[in-house]
Amino acid sequence: MPLSEGDVGGLMSGWQGGVRWIYAFTDEEALARFAVQRGAGAGAREWEYLSILGARLVDAVIPTVEGPTGVAVDVADEDGSMLFPPVLGIVPEAYAVDAGPDRAEAV
């Protein structure tokens, strides 16, 4: 997972549809493709990243982030990208946007 630039620090993420999406990659090559799409080329800065298991990201990191948060995996790969939204079965129940008192009636 790439680290954010600047003084703020943290994991690189984006916003779409009211959800923060933490960028995650399955290998260094997928991260490199993402960097190129973001304008990195020859002589560009080195991208710092953190290696973390997906389960740890979902169970330990997402609960520390304010607001709905999902995981976007390999987003530079047209055919191989995956989105894991902040819903039951993906993130802990306390952080799932579809958890709550109205859920029983909707199911």
Side-chain angles (χ1 to χ4, degrees), residues 1-2 7 48 52 66 87-88 105:
M1 299 179 340
D7 298 333
E48 293 186 64
I52 185 171
E66 189 173 326
V87 296
L88 289 171
E105 295 173 18

Side-chain angles (χ1 to χ4, degrees), residues 16 39 59 98:
Q16 177 67 38
D59 293 339
D98 59 340

Side-chain angles (χ1 to χ4, degrees), residues 25 30-41 47 74-78:
F25 300 92
L31 173 58
R33 288 188 295 275
F34 175 76
V36 167
Q37 283 191 355
R38 303 267 307 214
W47 284 45
D74 292 346
V75 294
D77 298 341
E78 189 173 310

Side-chain angles (χ1 to χ4, degrees), residues 18-77:
V19 174
R20 176 185 299 273
W21 296 95
I22 296 175
Y23 299 130
F25 300 92
T26 54
D27 55 32
E28 288 181 355
E29 290 79 16
L31 173 58
R33 288 188 295 275
F34 175 76
V36 167
Q37 283 191 355
R38 303 267 307 214
R45 70 171 176 88
E46 184 174 309
W47 284 45
E48 293 186 64
Y49 65 92
L50 173 69
S51 293
I52 185 171
L53 293 174
R56 187 165 190 89
L57 172 63
V58 169
D59 293 339
V61 176
I62 286 183
T64 68
V65 180
E66 189 173 326
T69 305
V71 181
V73 179
D74 292 346
V75 294
D77 298 341

